[in-house]
């Protein structure tokens, strides 16, 4: 059951009411920064994993 257009407008309205229009840009900026940091840490973890010698079982 996908989310329709009307539901998206209702969710956006609730978000605006909760955070206000002045805080929305800062909220978006913080969300984007968090996603970038997460992607960077995942890439670093993959590099670290590749550097580890494989154990012989």
């Amino acid at each position: 059951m996908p989310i329709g257009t009307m539901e998206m407008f209702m969710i956006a309205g609730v978000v605006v009411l909760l955070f206000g229009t002045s805080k929305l840009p800062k909220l978006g900026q913080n969300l984007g920064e968090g996603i970038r940091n997460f992607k960077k840490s995942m890439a670093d973890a993959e590099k670290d994993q590749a550097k580890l010698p494989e154990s012989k079982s």
Side-chain angles (χ1 to χ4, degrees), residues 30-56:
N30 290 339
L31 182 63
E33 184 178 330
I35 292 171
R36 280 191 301 275
N37 287 338
F38 177 75
K39 287 182 180 180
K40 183 177 182 260
S41 66
M42 291 297 291
D44 290 344
E46 287 178 3
K47 286 179 187 175
D48 291 342
Q49 186 71 22
K51 288 181 182 177
L52 293 176
E54 293 187 28
S55 62
K56 296 180 182 178

Side-chain angles (χ1 to χ4, degrees), residues 8-48:
M8 292 297 286
F9 283 128
M10 291 172 73
I11 292 170
V14 170
V15 168
V16 169
L17 287 174
L18 287 176
F19 295 107
T21 56
S22 62
K23 290 188 180 182
L24 284 179
K26 186 72 170 175
L27 181 68
Q29 179 183 7
N30 290 339
L31 182 63
E33 184 178 330
I35 292 171
R36 280 191 301 275
N37 287 338
F38 177 75
K39 287 182 180 180
K40 183 177 182 260
S41 66
M42 291 297 291
D44 290 344
E46 287 178 3
K47 286 179 187 175
D48 291 342

